[in-house]
Amino acid sequence: MSDAVKANGEPKNYLNDTYGIKSWLLTLDHKRIGIMYLITLTAFFLVGGVFAAFIRLELMTPKGDLFEAETYNKMFTMHGVVMIFFFLIPSIPAVLGNFLIPLQIGARDVAFPKLNLASYYLYALGGMFAIAAILMGGIDTGWTFYTPYSSSYSNSFVSLALVGVFINGFSSILTGVNFMVTIHKMRAPGLTWFRLPLFIWGHYATSLIQVLGTPVVAITLLLVVFERVFNIGIFDPTYGGDPVLFQHMFWFYSHPAVYIMILPGFAVISDVIACFSRKRIFGYSFVAFSSLAIAVLGFLVWGHHMFVSGQSTYASMVFSFITFFVAVPSAVKIFNWSFTLHKGSIKLDSPMLYVMGFIGLFTIGGLTGLFLSTLGTDVHLHDTYFVVAHFHYVMVGGMVMAFLCGLHFWWPKMTGRMYPEGPAKLGVMFVFAGFNLTFLPQFILGYMGMPRRYHAYPEEWQALNIMSTAGATVLGLGFGLTIAYFIWSLFKGEKAPANPFQAKGLEWDIPSPPIAHNFEAIPIVTWEAYPYGPEEAASQSTETATEPAKEDEVV
Amino acid sequence: MSDFPLFPAQASTIAWQVDALYGFLVLLTVVFCILVFGMVTIFAIKYRRRSDDEQPEQNHGNLALELSWTIIPLFIALFVFLLGADVFFRLQRAPADPLEIYAVGKQWMWKIQHESGKREINTLHVPKGQPVRLTMTSEDVLHDFFIPAFRVKNDVIPGRYTTLWFEATQLGEFHIFCAEYCGTLHSGMIGKVIVMDPTDYHDWLMGASASDESMVEAGQRQFQALGCETCHKSTSSGQGPSLVGIYDKPVKLKNGQEVTVDVDYIRESILQPRAKIVDGYEPIMPIFEGQISEQSLLQIVSYIKSLTESAE
Amino acid sequence: MSDHAQGAHSLHHLHQFESAEQQYESATLGMWAFIVQEILFFGGLFCAYTVYRNTYIEAFTAGSHHLDIFWGTLNTVVLIASSLTMAMAVRSAQTNSGPGRIIGWLIATIILGCTFLGVKAIEYTGKWHHHLIPNSTFQWNDPAFPTVTLGPAKIFYSFYFVMTGMHALHMIIGVGIMLWMIAKVRRNEISAQYFTPIEISGLYWHFVDIVWIFLFPLLYLIGRHH
């Protein structure tokens, strides 16, 4: 990583400050921990991606002729477990959040650096358990681990995987605690809540969900482990246990968990769209509070996964009703982002192309969510490919696009190198086109009635499935290209200036890559977030110096 | 590839309502997508950066706009909720006196029994133009009974009964899928609904491999064989409460609660009779948990349902 | 030992913080956030417990009759006492009463904590002898409760073991933290100016006690008047 660094000539930065494998594995520097997450996450993404490729290959033909049914079931389970628990949930917070939260709030590190490193190792340990479960023969329960199949019937390595997810849950909780405290207590003087970049607001809302939701799924999965190991009977109908209770407890976390996955995406988009249109985010406080609204509402809607689970009609009505309220903050965000472009100065560099892709795909993902929160249509669509398509539109079209967007945007800051713009533009086109080709047909398949998790399907659906597989190939090429030029840029990329995109924010006032303790002197902030206007920029430049005299202006 | 349908067959009374709702949502999606994509594209072209030191005018928001795109989506959302809830109620409430059919899911097949006693596996014969209610349970894990052409679906859960109803409007064969992942051969847990003319259906019931014992008769036989009759007499003179005419009626329990006698209550009272004791009786009934198969249980349940005052 | 020079030295804060005050506030807020997640963790169990208690009232009543109220009460007293000794440990640190006194109170807390765990072990052994461990060896036959069948009774004991087991695990972690605190005091890292570690360990310990204050009535007491 620090190959080009020479002791002479090169200014000190966090990458060349110390050397050796130990200086990385035992680092307390939030920036290095972020990089370690990035490497590990990418590995998990590739593992999950390989499973996805196998799934799409199998579904090219209606007969289940490539893999045994059992193998196929393990493929989609492991795709889900790896992608959700070990890629999507950590992704933006663990990589970009770790790297940027202290930089953006003018702090030297997160509040608890040792805990931060411990979180990384918990994540890695949880991941090892999951990988061990995969290598020993896999799991076949679906990532949702529904009882009583997972607790009493499956003969696969469920307990091992569950322990992995459980441990990983604590990584997520501790990261949430760490970020929450960091955002509350470590902000630079003058950096009030409403001067924070929206990146921070998004991560704050995410941390809230991580702290409040994850422990519930942790205990639930632990109960399933006990059920398998000791046969305790809580979810086992033969002892009078209720298998459906598991679904309530599982979704109490796992619905908010999709907001853990998407809120950091919103966070990235807000920062990038402001930079590439040179404008303050339209309706800053509405965007900020809509994140909190989503975090809070997210805890009240879990029952919308259970409209056909035998739950009472009235419970379903209430859950559906509350779910529709989630549409409002999501719409507020979309419209505010769109209006930020109005009368802006828009530059379509690759991060901005990812933003445009994100807005498009998330809009479709969000609107198709309405089909599933509408009781009358959900009965038909539940557990079909419509759900699969909707979920991927939000998670890949939303979250992964946002992650790539953020990675491009802050890549120069993180590595000190520029990514090549040409291939990046090509990459975003591939990802966008491939993605739509993969998942648009699945909406139609879902309405036709193709159930999810099917190894074989009636012949009349082959054409749409082939389209989907073809799309997945293009999507895979897009991801491959992106990973390739990122790695290339580490060695051959142009040296990055401190602020290659003329962006605003404390992280852009320091060199790329930053020094080990981030700031020579802690800045004092007297300006609003996103000061892209000329008068604001002027006021900012006079205030950057640490002037105690100005402290009385601080609110 | 010539045949590229976008909708499954519309073969039940509810199907067009679900399709209409779906169509409305598709329209809503398209309108909003055009709005958002149009806005983003037009702005991106119109306000593209022309020189590197361009400084756009700053604009911090607009309360009227914020309120309008908070309130308008809210009302649209609530409107959609109402439409959806309306269709959902119709999906949940079966009309009076439907044709009762019973289904048991197990890894990996559907076992179906008609009231006449006729059984079938992975096929379901139903008459056209008559409401049908399926009462379902599972012998092992969760399953889900899904007929796309009828737009109906419900989970099938071990240890309890769930129901779904439909009225077929089109003759022909339609897919049955298991929609809740249930293990290795989940995608093989499929079948066919065969919609017939009511007269054909009747002939089919009476035709080859017809059962000589209806479900009620089979239930009655087992009711006698298990000795239920010794206590549950047709008058209130027995050691157990009389079961005549109790179905769908409220009953008062020892602990003061009142419950309605539905299929789940009957099921529980057979398997775990001591869970809910009827006021005025002692908890002396033996426990049948684990001793009766799901199919026999359904027969006994349908027998108890059939015990009405007039039938006596 | 506790001279001011030493105290002033301990005042130094970790590099990521700008002041000792910021460090103190962060540590405290962090512990509170952690306790919130602990509440949710146990909350999941309490919630499931409530659902089943409503479904199987008789079985849960019967189950609690088989728990030994003597040991339960004793453990409640022991834990409340340990909260007191913990509070005294924090107080001694705050008032600069010297490392000996702090360590003394911490050891008292550890002894009480271990007493609790010992009593728990006695209770668990008793359940094992009566075949009340909720695995495949579980047996149930109580003529006093003829209406209660094996399944729901087993579910009660599943909750009993999972809830008290998770609580005991937290106690064990708590004892480990106390040992760590003793080491910190011995290394002179605690003073009246900087006693944050002891204070937030105290928060944790009190939280674990409070969980028991809910577990005791829910498992041992409710329905006992029957």
Side-chain angles (χ1 to χ4, degrees):
Chain A
M1 216 146 265
S2 43
D3 62 299
V5 174
K6 301 281 184 310
N8 52 349
E10 282 286 331
K12 280 274 185 197
N13 62 46
Y14 84 100
L15 291 170
N16 65 13
D17 199 51
T18 46
Y19 286 102
I21 189 83
K22 255 175 81 181
S23 78
W24 278 87
L25 292 182
L26 298 178
T27 184
L28 298 181
D29 184 341
H30 65 101
K31 301 183 286 304
R32 285 191 170 192
I33 293 173
I35 300 289
M36 277 156 57
Y37 269 115
L38 177 61
I39 295 166
T40 323
L41 275 167
T42 309
F44 278 112
F45 179 71
L46 293 175
V47 172
V50 168
F51 289 131
F54 286 143
I55 292 169
R56 281 320 319 168
L57 275 179
E58 169 66 72
L59 293 178
M60 274 175 75
T61 52
K63 288 195 185 61
D65 40 14
L66 184 58
F67 301 107
E68 296 288 321
E70 200 185 331
T71 317
Y72 178 81
N73 294 346
K74 288 177 175 173
M75 299 277 185
F76 71 69
T77 302
M78 294 183 299
H79 169 69
V81 169
V82 167
M83 284 299 200
I84 287 175
F85 295 109
F86 297 98
F87 175 72
L88 287 170
I89 287 180
S91 62
I92 292 184
V95 179
L96 298 175
N98 243 321
F99 196 94
L100 292 162
I101 288 175
L103 296 182
Q104 289 202 342
I105 65 173
R108 299 205 189 280
D109 206 322
V110 293
F112 312 115
K114 283 183 197 155
L115 193 67
N116 200 14
L117 184 67
S119 300
Y120 171 77
Y121 280 108
L122 283 175
Y123 163 69
L125 182 69
M128 304 276 203
F129 272 88
I131 295 288
I134 291 171
L135 292 180
M136 287 169 73
I139 25 167
D140 71 342
T141 59
W143 77 272
T144 44
F145 301 110
Y146 271 17
T147 54
Y149 185 73
S150 64
S151 52
S152 310
Y153 288 85
S154 173
N155 288 319
S156 56
F157 294 86
V158 181
S159 300
L160 206 56
L162 285 174
V163 170
V165 173
F166 178 82
I167 295 173
N168 183 46
F170 279 90
S171 161
S172 188
I173 292 169
L174 295 177
T175 304
V177 167
N178 213 338
F179 286 178
M180 248 165 93
V181 174
T182 306
I183 295 169
H184 263 284
K185 295 292 174 194
M186 310 284 283
R187 283 171 284 129
L191 191 51
T192 58
W193 283 93
F194 289 96
R195 289 176 178 177
L196 287 172
L198 289 163
F199 184 85
I200 302 293
W201 276 91
H203 276 84
Y204 186 77
T206 309
S207 304
L208 215 57
I209 307 176
Q210 284 176 312
V211 172
L212 294 177
T214 321
V216 179
V217 84
I219 187 65
T220 310
L221 298 182
L222 206 57
L223 285 176
V224 176
V225 174
F226 290 154
E227 193 91 23
R228 285 186 73 84
V229 177
F230 304 111
N231 196 13
I232 60 173
I234 288 180
F235 299 128
D236 186 348
T238 53
Y239 291 107
D242 183 0
V244 180
L245 180 68
F246 171 86
Q247 294 177 30
H248 282 287
M249 293 174 75
F250 180 80
W251 289 116
F252 179 82
Y253 163 76
S254 294
H255 189 76
V258 305
Y259 301 126
I260 293 181
M261 299 180 236
I262 196 68
L263 283 172
F266 295 159
V268 167
I269 295 303
S270 302
D271 270 25
V272 176
I273 204 168
C275 168
F276 286 95
S277 45
R278 284 200 179 150
K279 272 187 71 190
R280 187 173 201 254
I281 281 285
F282 195 86
Y284 170 95
S285 52
F286 284 87
V287 179
F289 280 113
S290 61
S291 289
L292 286 184
I294 289 174
V296 173
L297 284 170
F299 280 104
L300 307 175
V301 299
W302 76 88
H304 70 211
H305 295 266
M306 300 170 61
F307 290 158
V308 299
S309 69
Q311 159 178 279
S312 91
T313 308
Y314 296 99
S316 296
M317 300 272 283
V318 171
F319 281 120
S320 167
F321 182 72
I322 302 173
T323 304
F324 277 100
F325 283 87
V326 182
V328 175
S330 315
V332 165
K333 278 185 189 291
I334 290 282
F335 285 120
N336 276 303
W337 287 326
S338 307
F339 255 72
T340 304
L341 301 176
H342 183 67
K343 293 191 175 166
S345 165
I346 296 158
K347 189 143 189 281
L348 290 180
D349 281 349
S350 43
M352 191 59 170
L353 290 177
Y354 274 108
V355 170
M356 316 274 282
F358 172 94
I359 292 180
L361 300 182
F362 179 75
T363 304
I364 297 177
L367 286 163
T368 50
L370 290 179
F371 292 69
L372 300 172
S373 44
T374 305
L375 289 158
T377 41
D378 181 68
V379 170
H380 178 61
L381 295 171
H382 179 80
D383 269 339
T384 67
Y385 262 81
F386 194 93
V387 176
V388 177
H390 158 71
F391 187 66
H392 282 83
Y393 260 84
V394 180
M395 287 299 122
V396 184
M399 170 67 208
V400 177
M401 293 289 269
F403 186 39
L404 287 174
C405 171
L407 262 187
H408 283 85
F409 186 55
W410 283 292
W411 188 257
K413 187 56 63 187
M414 294 169 81
T415 63
R417 301 284 184 154
M418 295 301 292
Y419 59 85
E421 181 62 26
K425 281 201 168 110
L426 194 64
V428 71
M429 299 299 174
F430 266 75
V431 170
F432 186 79
F435 176 83
N436 280 305
L437 188 56
T438 312
F439 292 103
L440 262 181
Q442 295 187 3
F443 283 122
I444 303 168
L445 279 173
Y447 201 74
M448 298 291 294
M450 179 166 167
R452 65 199 281 210
R453 299 174 172 174
Y454 260 36
H455 169 232
Y457 55 85
E459 281 178 12
E460 62 259 34
W461 296 333
Q462 190 175 12
L464 287 164
N465 271 296
I466 287 180
M467 279 168 68
S468 183
T469 303
T473 316
V474 179
L475 185 60
L477 284 175
F479 287 138
L481 175 65
T482 308
I483 293 174
Y485 67 71
F486 269 145
I487 293 175
W488 176 88
S489 77
L490 289 178
F491 303 99
K492 306 274 180 171
E494 226 178 284
K495 285 257 183 315
N499 190 357
F501 305 115
Q502 291 96 51
K504 303 288 179 184
L506 295 177
E507 78 271 31
W508 299 110
D509 295 339
I510 54 175
S512 304
I515 55 172
H517 52 280
N518 298 351
F519 297 96
E520 296 292 356
I522 293 296
I524 293 179
V525 179
T526 57
W527 56 90
E528 302 299 306
Y530 310 116
Y532 285 99
E535 67 288 350
E536 289 158 305
S539 83
Q540 181 192 348
S541 63
T542 59
E543 306 290 346
T544 21
T546 324
E547 287 174 76
K550 292 286 178 193
E551 234 164 337
D552 53 0
E553 284 181 15
V554 170
V555 186
Chain B
M1 308 269 153
S2 56
D3 160 68
F4 204 87
L6 298 176
F7 289 85
Q10 240 178 28
S12 73
T13 47
I14 203 86
W16 73 267
Q17 302 176 39
V18 177
D19 286 353
L21 189 56
Y22 177 76
F24 173 73
L25 284 168
V26 170
L27 190 72
L28 194 72
T29 304
V30 169
V31 167
F32 268 90
C33 284
I34 290 175
L35 183 70
V36 173
F37 299 174
M39 209 153 64
V40 169
T41 316
I42 291 169
F43 291 164
I45 294 167
K46 193 169 168 200
Y47 304 115
R48 67 183 179 278
R49 192 171 298 175
R50 290 182 168 79
S51 73
D52 214 30
D53 48 6
E54 195 170 79
Q55 283 291 358
E57 201 181 309
Q58 293 299 303
N59 179 341
H60 286 201
N62 178 321
L63 191 64
L65 271 177
E66 296 291 348
L67 288 180
S68 58
W69 62 52
T70 305
I71 292 167
I72 294 171
L74 180 67
F75 279 101
I76 295 176
L78 293 183
F79 178 64
V80 175
F81 164 76
L82 288 177
L83 292 179
D86 178 50
V87 174
F88 185 62
F89 260 114
R90 286 179 229 184
L91 278 161
Q92 296 272 306
R93 296 286 146 86
D97 292 323
L99 178 70
E100 302 274 6
I101 299 178
Y102 299 85
V104 176
K106 65 168 283 191
Q107 284 175 327
W108 292 276
M109 63 171 78
W110 295 106
K111 297 191 285 192
I112 287 160
Q113 189 168 21
H114 297 257
E115 282 205 306
S116 75
K118 182 142 180 163
R119 295 166 189 270
E120 47 186 334
I121 286 182
N122 290 346
T123 52
L124 169 61
H125 287 76
V126 294
K128 182 184 152 186
Q130 190 178 345
V132 173
R133 177 164 59 197
L134 279 176
T135 301
M136 310 174 291
T137 189
S138 163
E139 283 182 12
D140 37 47
V141 299
L142 299 175
H143 300 283
D144 184 296
F145 199 87
F146 177 31
I147 308 170
F150 296 169
R151 315 285 188 275
V152 292
K153 169 187 288 145
N154 214 320
D155 277 9
V156 176
I157 302 167
R160 74 168 75 152
Y161 293 126
T162 52
T163 60
L164 62 78
W165 82 273
F166 54 82
E167 181 181 331
T169 55
Q170 214 181 86
L171 297 179
E173 294 186 359
F174 307 100
H175 292 293
I176 299 171
F177 294 118
C178 174
E180 183 66 73
Y181 177 67
C182 60
T184 310
L185 292 184
H186 169 54
S187 62
M189 194 165 163
I190 54 179
K192 270 192 205 119
V193 199
I194 298 158
V195 183
M196 312 169 99
D197 259 340
T199 48
D200 291 344
Y201 174 70
H202 188 258
D203 291 348
W204 174 83
L205 277 182
M206 297 302 143
S209 78
S211 173
D212 45 9
E213 193 184 32
S214 75
M215 281 190 77
V216 170
E217 285 161 0
Q220 185 177 19
R221 178 172 50 76
Q222 296 184 70
F223 194 77
Q224 287 161 352
L226 292 167
C228 310
E229 276 195 325
T230 22
C231 299
H232 296 288
K233 298 183 191 303
S234 54
T235 57
S236 56
S237 59
Q239 281 187 287
S242 163
L243 304 180
V244 174
I246 57 162
Y247 182 65
D248 224 13
K249 301 269 159 48
V251 62
K252 195 156 186 257
L253 301 183
K254 212 169 193 172
N255 63 12
Q257 281 180 313
E258 201 176 77
V259 293
T260 303
V261 179
D262 55 12
V263 283
D264 271 312
Y265 173 79
I266 298 174
R267 178 196 171 87
E268 185 187 33
S269 300
I270 298 169
L271 299 179
Q272 294 287 348
R274 290 160 188 191
K276 296 194 176 86
I277 300 296
V278 175
D279 196 26
Y281 293 90
E282 287 308 307
I284 50 170
M285 178 170 156
I287 292 155
F288 287 94
E289 178 85 67
Q291 300 182 29
I292 311 178
S293 76
E294 289 293 350
Q295 281 169 302
S296 305
L297 201 55
L298 280 168
Q299 289 161 352
I300 298 171
V301 168
S302 65
Y303 169 65
I304 293 173
K305 277 169 73 177
S306 74
L307 294 171
T308 54
E309 313 282 356
S310 54
E312 279 300 305
Chain C
M1 269 252 179
S2 57
D3 63 324
H4 285 286
Q6 185 64 54
H9 176 71
S10 310
L11 245 181
H12 94 276
H13 44 83
L14 295 165
H15 84 98
Q16 73 268 28
F17 294 106
E18 286 302 293
S19 67
E21 194 197 359
Q22 189 188 27
Q23 178 169 348
Y24 167 76
E25 285 178 358
S26 300
T28 315
L29 181 66
M31 186 42 93
W32 278 110
F34 185 78
I35 286 174
V36 167
Q37 82 79 24
E38 288 281 0
I39 291 173
L40 268 298
F41 184 84
F42 281 100
L45 279 175
F46 281 113
C47 210
Y49 170 92
T50 311
V51 169
Y52 283 112
R53 206 196 129 69
N54 261 324
T55 320
Y56 301 117
I57 297 174
E58 290 281 306
F60 276 50
T61 308
S64 58
H65 272 84
H66 286 255
L67 297 181
D68 197 323
I69 200 159
F70 168 74
W71 290 121
T73 313
L74 176 68
N75 256 352
T76 310
V77 173
V78 167
L79 268 198
I80 291 174
S82 81
S83 255
L84 177 70
T85 56
M86 186 68 232
M88 290 310 291
V90 177
R91 177 92 192 128
S92 327
Q94 240 169 354
T95 54
N96 225 355
S97 317
R101 178 140 329 155
I102 306 175
I103 289 176
W105 287 118
L106 286 175
I107 288 177
T109 311
I110 291 173
I111 291 172
L112 289 168
C114 290
T115 310
F116 176 92
L117 291 169
V119 169
K120 216 65 243 161
I122 294 171
E123 285 190 85
Y124 282 3
T125 321
K127 298 292 163 286
W128 189 68
H129 284 305
H130 291 105
H131 302 285
L132 290 174
I133 305 284
N135 58 16
S136 37
T137 66
F138 187 82
Q139 287 172 20
W140 176 258
N141 182 31
D142 184 349
F145 292 93
T147 62
V148 174
T149 52
L150 179 132
K154 183 172 172 177
I155 288 179
F156 174 81
Y157 280 97
S158 300
F159 277 109
Y160 169 75
F161 276 97
V162 173
M163 291 170 109
T164 57
M166 281 296 130
H167 177 260
L169 181 68
H170 280 77
M171 292 289 298
I172 294 169
I173 293 169
V175 168
I177 293 174
M178 291 309 136
L179 291 171
W180 180 26
M181 286 305 119
I182 290 176
K184 265 188 172 313
V185 176
R186 285 171 59 93
R187 288 200 304 259
N188 269 327
E189 288 173 23
I190 301 293
S191 68
Q193 284 75 36
Y194 179 68
F195 54 88
T196 318
I198 299 228
E199 187 174 334
I200 64 171
S201 307
L203 278 178
Y204 173 84
W205 190 268
H206 296 315
F207 165 76
V208 177
D209 286 2
I210 288 170
V211 171
W212 178 258
I213 298 300
F214 282 91
L215 287 180
F216 178 57
L218 282 181
L219 295 170
Y220 289 75
L221 299 182
I222 293 189
R224 219 166 167 97
H225 59 275
H226 259 280

